[in-house]
Amino acid sequence: MSATLACKVTPKSGKDQVTGRLINDDGSTEVCVRVTAPPDKGKANKAVIKLLSKELGVPKSSVDVVRGDTSHHKLLSFDCDQQHVDDWVAALPQL
């Protein structure tokens, strides 16, 4: 079983945090994530994986960046139920 999550990542932030969910003009949803790590040699991606695995209660090894390795907009894959991810996103504040 695999779940996906679209994220908008801001590196070099003041602290690691999930700030909420953003509804784009096309109706898609992105989770806004801030990490202190710089976008250098995958450091920001590793920080995003660590933060989101903790937030969703899944092992870091079950999270992977599917698309957007060098972009602010990323698509992540999780080895868990999509409903679990959707419920977590729905509970986030809308930005």
Side-chain angles (χ1 to χ4, degrees):
M1 117 182 73
S2 182
T4 58
L5 177 66
C7 295
K8 181 179 179 194
V9 178
T10 305
K12 297 195 317 187
S13 182
K15 66 179 185 175
D16 292 349
Q17 65 180 353
V18 176
T19 58
R21 59 188 165 95
L22 181 66
I23 308 296
N24 296 316
D25 292 338
D26 64 1
S28 64
T29 301
E30 285 183 302
V31 172
C32 296
V33 179
R34 296 178 179 269
V35 293
T36 57
D40 179 44
K41 299 178 184 168
K43 291 178 185 172
N45 287 344
K46 287 179 184 173
V48 168
I49 288 170
K50 181 179 177 183
L51 175 63
L52 291 178
S53 68
K54 182 178 177 185
E55 289 280 332
L56 286 162
V58 298
K60 288 185 286 189
S61 61
S62 73
V63 184
D64 191 34
V65 178
V66 176
R67 187 176 64 230
D69 273 338
T70 60
S71 172
H72 289 280
H73 301 276
K74 301 186 184 302
L75 182 66
L76 299 166
S77 161
F78 298 83
D79 288 335
C80 69
D81 184 45
Q82 184 68 49
Q83 189 63 47
H84 175 65
V85 175
D86 292 345
D87 291 345
W88 176 79
V89 171
L92 295 172
Q94 185 173 332
L95 303 174

